[in-house]
Amino acid sequence: MPLLHAEHISKTYPNGTQALKGIDIEVEQGEFLVVIGLSGSGKSTLLRCINQLHTVSSGRIVFDDAEITALKGRRLRQARSRIGMIFQQFNLIPRKTVLTNVLSGALARTPVIKSLLGMYSAEDKQKALAYLDIVGLAQKAYVRADNLSGGQQQRVAIARALMQDPKILLADEPVASLDPSTSHSVMKYLQKINQELGVTVICNLHFLSLVRTYATRVIALKEGQLVYQGAPSDIDEQWFKTIYGEDAVEVSIN
Amino acid sequence: MTEHIIAQPMSIQRYKATIKAWCTDVLIWSYSCIVLFKIAYQQWWLDLRYVDFSWHEPLYCFVVAMVLASVLIYTRCSIGKALFGLITFKEGQSIFRASSVRLALVKLLLTFAAGLHVSQVSMHEFLSPSGLAGAQRIFSALLSPNFAIFEDALFAAIETVYMAFVATALAIPVAFVLAFFAARNLMKHSAASFALYAVIRFFMNLTRSIEPLVWAIIFSVWVGIGPFSGMLALFLHSVASLTKLYSEQIEAIHDGPVEAMTATGAHPVQVIWYGVVPQIILPYLSYTIYRWDINVRMATVIGLVGGGGIGTMLMQYQGLARWNEVGMLVIVIATIVWLMDYASARIRAHLK
């Protein structure tokens, strides 16, 4: 039984844009799956359908033996809490400390009243500090999150996602706003989480050089359809042109 | 270029635009006809003191306007056509050379002239010797204020400031909660919540469109003349204004943190508390202090209709034509308003 199983999912936005057109994917436990494709090919929509930030128009997604596309209310929130997510723009809470941001990953298991008062369990606080240590930001716990650099903010976001004890980590272009060396550092943290903590990662990426370094498997989307599925080393010149168009030239970051 | 594309025979859109243009022209010309006839001809030219009115007159004007508009729609003199993009303005030429624009300017001038007449603007009255003597009398009295009532004025002013403060403080929690229901981006997701949004918006707009002065009159009948009625009036108006300002702030937030909190599996209340509130708290404080500042000023005016505080005192002395006392009150009011203005500006600058 795969960890995640998407059956023929389609997504049409209210404005008529068809972002996904019948996609089938299976994701096994422990994979580092990278999704590639042009801007607007449906990569972000696919990730947001997995944790139901967007509802699918048709098809179904089964995650961890439950049909997440059919869940509502508390049960949906519980399912979401087992799926971490990081974003291109980091999406940290402004004007709050790094520690508060990381602790917000534990909201799903904290009673509403306690969370409004900022009362997290001692266990969660220790865990938050431990995860900050893993992403190398233990010194910054009481610094305001918006005072950190882009790469540091993304690492805070990773720690926040880890607070959820996720089975899957969704990463929506996690390095698209970062410079090349910071990109590698963030990607290395994702790899570490994947290999050492055994968290399955599904990641949208733009740069093929990053894909070849970090992915264990690649899928490619084009205009909302799955056009490639395979090992990262198998993406040759021909496939590259199919995915990105005839005129595309590969740019690499090192 | 775009003008050219519109000018292509896209028949249905052109038809619609032409109909809209014609209707606009009819309205504009009806207005012009009635102003020319009632104000320019009857009141000014014939100098009639009491002008009779019958509903036939606007009807005739409407008919005349329809005829005029039907003719003008074939020319370049149609203001409606210019408004709905049916006239291509020549590139590189000032738009004031287009006949439709010139015609619109003439209408504006006509309105201004009619306005001068209706407002009874008269340099003769303004500079008449008896009038100037009166002005001198009142100004000299105002400039020699009666300091005997200083303590009373001060206590009344303090009453006004407290009244404004309580009204603002009570309005904050109400507006804080209502603002979430009045924010489009949070309420658009389901039909039921959107209906609630529309209802709250409607009542808030209604409340806001009625001046606090009118609310004060209503409440002075309800709870009696005094600071309490003034406070209630300010409270109601502040709730409506703060709800609008707060909800606009909520509508302007970044979606990112909201999305991130939703993705952690947080409860909607937690999503708002962690994803929305940190983004809006500073602008909220800034608006609220500004509101208090406005409320102090409004409280003075509301006092004039019996809302208590220094305004009521001002009204009493003004009724007795005791201008020296009025002068004292004006000084106290100006000082309070200036102080509030200064303090709120300083605090808000630090909140940025």
Side-chain angles (χ1 to χ4, degrees), chain A residues 48 51 53 77 80-81 83 85 87 91-96 100 104-105 107-108 110-112 115-116 118 120 160 164, chain B residues 255-271 273-275 277-283 351-352:
Chain A
R48 281 168 171 73
N51 64 359
L53 286 181
R77 296 200 294 273
R80 270 182 186 150
S81 76
I83 306 175
M85 188 166 192
F87 305 82
N91 292 350
L92 298 182
I93 308 164
R95 297 196 188 95
K96 294 281 180 193
T100 310
S104 70
L107 282 177
T110 310
V112 173
S115 70
L116 295 192
Y120 293 93
R160 172 172 72 186
Q164 296 173 232
Chain B
D255 265 343
V258 177
E259 208 176 28
M261 288 301 106
T262 313
T264 65
H267 187 271
V269 174
Q270 293 172 323
V271 171
W273 191 252
Y274 282 93
V277 172
Q279 295 194 60
I280 55 179
I281 201 77
L282 277 193
L351 285 178
K352 287 281 148 58

Side-chain angles (χ1 to χ4, degrees), chain B residues 212-288:
Chain B
L213 205 66
V214 179
W215 284 118
I217 293 169
I218 294 169
F219 282 120
S220 67
V221 174
W222 188 339
V223 301
I225 283 175
F228 186 42
S229 68
M231 195 284 287
L232 282 175
L234 287 178
F235 164 75
L236 205 61
H237 199 254
S238 298
V239 166
S241 304
L242 285 177
T243 302
K244 184 180 162 63
L245 288 172
Y246 287 177
S247 63
E248 273 171 5
Q249 210 54 48
I250 296 174
E251 283 170 3
I253 60 163
H254 297 290
D255 265 343
V258 177
E259 208 176 28
M261 288 301 106
T262 313
T264 65
H267 187 271
V269 174
Q270 293 172 323
V271 171
I272 286 177
W273 191 252
Y274 282 93
V276 181
V277 172
Q279 295 194 60
I280 55 179
I281 201 77
L282 277 193
Y284 268 34
L285 268 176
S286 180
Y287 281 136
T288 309

Side-chain angles (χ1 to χ4, degrees), chain B residues 151-166:
Chain B
E151 284 94 357
D152 289 346
L154 201 63
F155 289 137
I158 289 169
E159 194 178 288
T160 300
V161 173
Y162 272 90
M163 187 172 116
F165 181 74
V166 170

Side-chain angles (χ1 to χ4, degrees), chain B residues 182-205:
Chain B
R184 193 185 191 87
N185 54 343
L186 299 181
M187 300 298 282
K188 68 182 175 194
H189 298 294
S190 83
S193 64
F194 194 78
L196 184 64
Y197 157 86
V199 169
I200 288 180
R201 272 273 152 131
F202 174 76
F203 277 106
M204 287 299 129
N205 285 338

